[in-house]
Amino acid sequence: MMRDEVHAIGYRRLEGPRPVWPGWPIARTLWVLGWRRRATKMSLMACFGVFGVHGVWLVSQLMARRYLNLGPRRGLLTGVDRVVGSVHEVLAAYVSIQFFVTALVIAVVASGAIADDRRAGAFELYFSRPLTRLHYALGKLLGAGLIPFGTLVFPTFVLWLTAVGIAPPGMRSELWWLAVPAVGSAALGAATLTAGIIGLSALGERSLTVCTAFVAGLLLMSGVCEGLVESGFEAWGYLSPERDLRTVVDWLLQVGHDSLSASLLPGRPDGNGSPALSLLALGAWIAAGLLALTWRIRREVRAG
Amino acid sequence: MSEPHLSARNVSKLFGPVRALNDIDLQIGPGVTGLLGPNGSGKSTLMKLFAGELLPDEGDVRLLGHDPFHFAPVRRGLGLCPEQDAFYEDLSGYDFVEALTRLNGFSAADARARTAATMKRVGLEIYGRKRIREMSRGMRQRTKIAQAIAHDPPVVLLDEPLTGADPVARADLIALVRALGQEGRCVLVSSHVLHEVEAMTHQVVFIRFGRLRAQGDVFRLRGKLEDRPYRVVLSVSGDARAFGSQLLGLAHVQTVTVLADDRLELTTTDLDDAARGVPALAQAHGVRLTRFTSPDADLESLYRYLVSQP
């Protein structure tokens, strides 16, 4: 057999600045694809709506307090509290309700994160590049995770900051400590949604199926578990991520929900009996999502 | 000798009980190399091994001197154009190429500049703005090639790169592949369309049943098939029959067949000798030679021979 002469240049490192971390372009592609869908824009508008309603509630509540805090009107404060509620209530209600609306956004944007790659055969293109499985997984989690960060975590922080900024002077000191539980519970919700959609996308075949299954599953579990709890089967409450999150949020923010405003808002029934078990249940949902992602990547991609 | 761009040393790959590649020993350097073989011969498996998508069960695969499976950074030097359409249909051609180029570690500005230059090079300067779902097969193929070369890799693997392209696009893409080879890149092209491979390169690797059957220059390989003499068709003006008997006197000519009054077919063991000896003989006997062609001195002839062997 003939052997022809061979020359080569060998592997050379890229000259110039340090290579950009490949997780960013993966996340960016997810957003670019998501932004092209009309459903993304519509669900984002719903998010803004929820934020706006809670913002107005919070501002009007605090402005009323500032006004009533003056001299002879001080006596009316307790009555006003009963009507407009407290900052704790606004934040807790925001995290719980926005969790549902954000589920819509993240489902629309990230349902195809892994499923579409698998259908399109994009793994071959991704992993013919200097990319590891970890880069890929982190890139997808980042892409999906920044959506609830933008619609749930950051707005919660903004609401808290607004509250601290416009609260009557005597009230500020009690609002400072709210930052950690409010933002922390929003972050927990964001992590649950991110791991849930990415895990489901890793298991699913089509983005539309994944999107529908995610939203319908969340609503269905919430409704069914709520009904079962009301019928006396309290343990079932821990199977609803929304109810678990609500339980944890209420516990962290020490919310009673007895104001008139809070009672007008949907989805604020009582939570589960044990916040610790709810926290554990949310952790299990997150772990399941990450496990599905790991399984899929290990199955589809052999390269290290 | 320095390390070749691509090397496979005693490589075997099994899929369950099926041995997709069997003891492949191969080194590929700069220039365009055609990877040929019937369906299921192991071409795509070999490409995937070189791209680091698969790990060999036996032997050692090297890309630019490194193991492409375990050492991800070396894949920065690789451009892969897969056979199947692997697209995000809602992205424009530019966005798609830019997104993949950024995965090679380029900043957004660098990736954008490289994408613009590459889209121009593959002829998608204007149509690349379309969404991929709105593109024709040929445009999609060009987009796939663009993403494989935008980061300027020294090794380019092209799996059926001309599928779906119209004749003009094919000619353009063939010219592009040749240019990539002339730039000193190692370009491995897998294709079933032999005349297109022949238009790109004379350097081929032939695989069948997972085994390496031949590698090297098409004409030199053809010359090594001693049990398969070349056929040469001659058109002459003059007495073809008498000229035919003269041709039998040449040492390398085995048989002469008179096809018509002005056409002869001879078989020869050495095409170069025939190309020198036959015109000289015609001139010496006052015969005007108007045509000298060998229908089986090309890649197709070699391919048929190698496929026909058990």
Side-chain angles (χ1 to χ4, degrees):
Chain A
M1 183 165 294
M2 189 171 63
R3 292 270 176 212
D4 287 319
E5 198 178 347
V6 169
H7 307 272
I9 51 170
Y11 168 67
R12 292 173 299 171
R13 281 192 177 278
L14 275 181
E15 290 165 11
R18 197 166 163 228
V20 176
W21 183 63
W24 283 112
I26 292 174
R28 185 183 168 273
T29 305
L30 194 68
W31 302 327
V32 171
L33 283 166
W35 187 246
R36 289 179 185 241
R37 296 183 191 125
R38 195 177 299 159
T40 307
K41 290 158 193 156
M42 289 174 70
S43 49
L44 274 175
M45 279 168 66
C47 279
F48 279 119
V50 171
F51 177 70
V53 167
H54 285 81
V56 169
W57 181 14
L58 186 84
V59 170
S60 54
Q61 179 194 97
L62 289 166
M63 293 309 281
R65 279 170 185 278
R66 281 180 82 106
Y67 178 70
L68 294 173
N69 214 14
L70 303 171
R73 292 184 288 264
R74 192 180 284 259
L76 295 170
L77 268 175
T78 316
V80 166
D81 265 1
R82 289 237 173 95
V83 177
V84 296
S86 63
V87 173
H88 303 60
E89 268 182 292
V90 178
L91 293 175
Y94 178 74
V95 172
S96 304
I97 294 169
Q98 193 68 296
F99 176 81
F100 263 128
V101 185
T102 297
L104 269 179
V105 186
I106 200 170
V108 172
V109 177
S111 55
I114 316 283
D116 283 350
D117 281 0
R118 211 150 67 86
R119 269 177 70 80
F123 285 125
E124 198 172 3
L125 286 180
Y126 274 125
F127 290 96
S128 66
R129 295 184 147 73
L131 199 71
T132 62
R133 289 188 286 209
L134 186 65
H135 285 140
Y136 179 79
L138 291 178
K140 291 293 181 187
L141 287 170
L142 180 75
L146 281 179
I147 297 161
F149 179 84
T151 58
L152 186 59
V153 182
F154 183 68
T156 306
F157 177 75
V158 170
L159 286 177
W160 167 80
L161 205 63
T162 309
V164 171
I166 64 174
M171 198 180 159
R172 270 184 203 151
S173 57
E174 71 170 289
L175 292 181
W176 278 116
W177 73 271
L178 270 185
V180 175
V183 176
S185 54
L188 187 65
T192 309
L193 289 174
T194 304
I197 192 70
I198 290 291
L200 209 57
S201 183
L203 298 176
E205 288 282 337
R206 287 167 171 270
S207 55
L208 187 63
T209 317
V210 172
C211 179
T212 313
F214 184 72
V215 176
L218 212 59
L219 288 171
L220 209 68
M221 271 202 289
S222 184
V224 169
C225 292
E226 215 67 62
L228 286 166
V229 170
E230 277 176 23
S231 309
F233 302 100
E234 289 193 0
W236 286 87
Y238 296 102
L239 282 183
S240 163
E242 185 274 330
R243 194 180 161 89
D244 288 324
L245 182 70
R246 195 184 340 126
T247 308
V248 174
V249 171
D250 289 356
W251 171 62
L252 283 173
L253 291 168
Q254 305 287 307
V255 179
H257 304 299
D258 46 6
S259 72
L260 184 63
S261 310
S263 68
L264 291 174
L265 288 168
R268 293 302 306 168
D270 288 338
N272 294 320
S274 164
L277 275 181
S278 287
L279 197 61
L280 206 66
L282 286 175
W285 281 114
I286 295 170
L290 296 179
L291 211 65
L293 171 67
T294 310
W295 171 78
R296 174 58 72 193
I297 294 178
R298 289 188 76 88
R299 192 182 151 97
E300 296 287 334
V301 184
R302 296 175 185 91
Chain B
M1 190 177 72
S2 58
E3 190 76 36
H5 286 71
L6 294 170
S7 85
R9 294 184 203 284
N10 309 111
V11 166
S12 295
K13 179 68 193 171
L14 288 102
F15 292 113
V18 179
R19 194 170 271 266
L21 287 177
N22 196 352
D23 202 24
I24 297 281
D25 202 37
L26 178 68
Q27 282 85 45
I28 302 172
V32 182
T33 303
L35 180 60
L36 304 172
N39 287 332
S41 57
K43 301 189 298 292
S44 293
T45 304
L46 186 62
M47 286 256 190
K48 285 181 178 182
L49 285 167
F50 282 138
E53 287 176 51
L54 296 175
L55 191 64
D57 292 303
E58 291 164 20
D60 183 37
V61 172
R62 297 268 148 179
L63 165 68
L64 300 171
H66 294 267
D67 175 359
F69 187 90
H70 291 110
F71 186 57
V74 77
R75 298 202 291 266
R76 197 165 284 135
L78 173 74
L80 172 71
C81 171
E83 183 182 4
Q84 67 180 114
D85 269 5
F87 290 120
Y88 292 121
E89 301 278 344
D90 284 330
L91 289 184
S92 72
Y94 273 85
D95 285 343
F96 179 72
V97 174
E98 188 189 325
L100 289 170
T101 304
R102 288 189 68 183
L103 289 177
N104 287 289
F106 295 105
S107 67
D110 274 355
R112 207 167 299 128
R114 281 171 179 272
T115 301
T118 311
M119 294 304 258
K120 189 175 178 183
R121 189 170 187 191
V122 299
L124 283 180
E125 198 175 8
I126 296 166
Y127 294 112
R129 306 271 174 210
K130 278 184 169 186
R131 283 192 189 196
I132 290 172
R133 71 166 70 255
E134 294 159 1
M135 287 183 171
S136 66
R137 286 286 305 274
M139 287 181 203
R140 294 161 78 94
Q141 207 62 25
R142 285 169 189 242
T143 307
K144 262 198 316 192
I145 293 177
Q147 63 77 29
I149 61 173
H151 55 290
D152 205 17
V155 177
V156 182
L157 305 180
L158 305 172
D159 202 352
E160 302 285 352
L162 304 179
T163 310
D166 61 49
V168 176
R170 276 170 191 259
D172 290 347
L173 291 175
I174 287 170
L176 174 67
V177 172
R178 288 172 67 117
L180 290 171
Q182 282 159 7
E183 287 164 11
R185 294 176 215 276
C186 167
V187 185
L188 185 62
V189 186
S190 161
S191 176
H192 290 292
V193 188
L194 299 177
H195 68 269
E196 286 172 353
V197 174
E198 212 165 15
M200 290 179 206
T201 181
H202 293 303
Q203 199 73 19
V204 294
V205 170
F206 189 89
I207 296 177
R208 191 169 184 228
F209 295 139
R211 282 185 177 276
L212 186 63
R213 289 301 173 95
Q215 62 168 321
D217 182 89
V218 173
F219 300 114
R220 291 204 297 268
L221 287 171
R222 177 66 185 86
K224 285 182 176 288
L225 308 181
E226 288 166 357
D227 60 330
R228 196 174 166 94
Y230 293 97
R231 286 186 304 130
V232 176
V233 176
L234 305 174
S235 292
V236 294
S237 59
D239 188 352
R241 200 170 290 274
F243 184 57
S245 61
Q246 297 296 326
L247 285 170
L248 283 169
L250 294 173
H252 53 81
V253 174
Q254 291 183 329
T255 63
V256 175
T257 309
V258 180
L259 301 173
D261 287 345
D262 61 346
R263 278 204 305 145
L264 295 165
E265 183 183 285
L266 61 88
T267 56
T268 173
T269 53
D270 193 324
L271 192 62
D272 287 342
D273 281 353
R276 279 191 294 270
V278 173
L281 192 70
Q283 197 174 20
H285 288 82
V287 174
R288 191 160 164 250
L289 191 62
T290 55
R291 189 171 162 224
F292 181 105
T293 55
S294 176
D296 62 358
D298 58 1
L299 181 58
E300 191 171 340
S301 168
L302 178 70
Y303 186 90
R304 280 188 187 174
Y305 173 79
L306 291 168
V307 166
S308 68
Q309 297 302 300

